Amino acid sequence: MIDLPFLAELLVALFVVATLDGPPPVEPAQEPPARELEPPEPLPGGWSAETDLHAQRLLRLERRRDTFASQP
């Protein structure tokens, strides 16, 4: 047998959910204006900042490799 009060609650809940407003549409983000790339200033010795960072990473990796290679 069908439970009529429960069926009525389900119908009311269905109508309430069907009439809820969804979230407002979100406008796509605007891209910042393009700026011209400036060449990086060289560091003493003629290296750029990016080259210096890359060299530091390589030195750290070599140190780690040497540390792990020396462990038994």
Side-chain angles (χ1 to χ4, degrees):
M1 182 170 195
I2 298 175
D3 188 11
L4 291 179
F6 182 65
L7 181 62
E9 286 182 39
L10 283 177
L11 288 175
V12 169
L14 177 67
F15 289 128
V16 168
V17 171
T19 59
L20 290 176
D21 288 336
V26 178
E27 294 182 18
Q30 304 234 349
E31 293 187 25
R35 59 182 183 134
E36 294 184 26
L37 297 176
E38 301 171 5
E41 294 182 21
L43 296 174
W47 289 35
S48 69
E50 290 177 2
T51 306
D52 188 51
L53 285 175
H54 184 66
Q56 289 176 16
R57 287 186 192 117
L58 285 175
L59 289 173
R60 278 196 301 267
L61 287 172
E62 288 176 354
R63 243 184 277 133
R64 284 185 193 166
R65 182 193 62 199
D66 294 341
T67 302
F68 289 120
S70 66
Q71 292 179 354

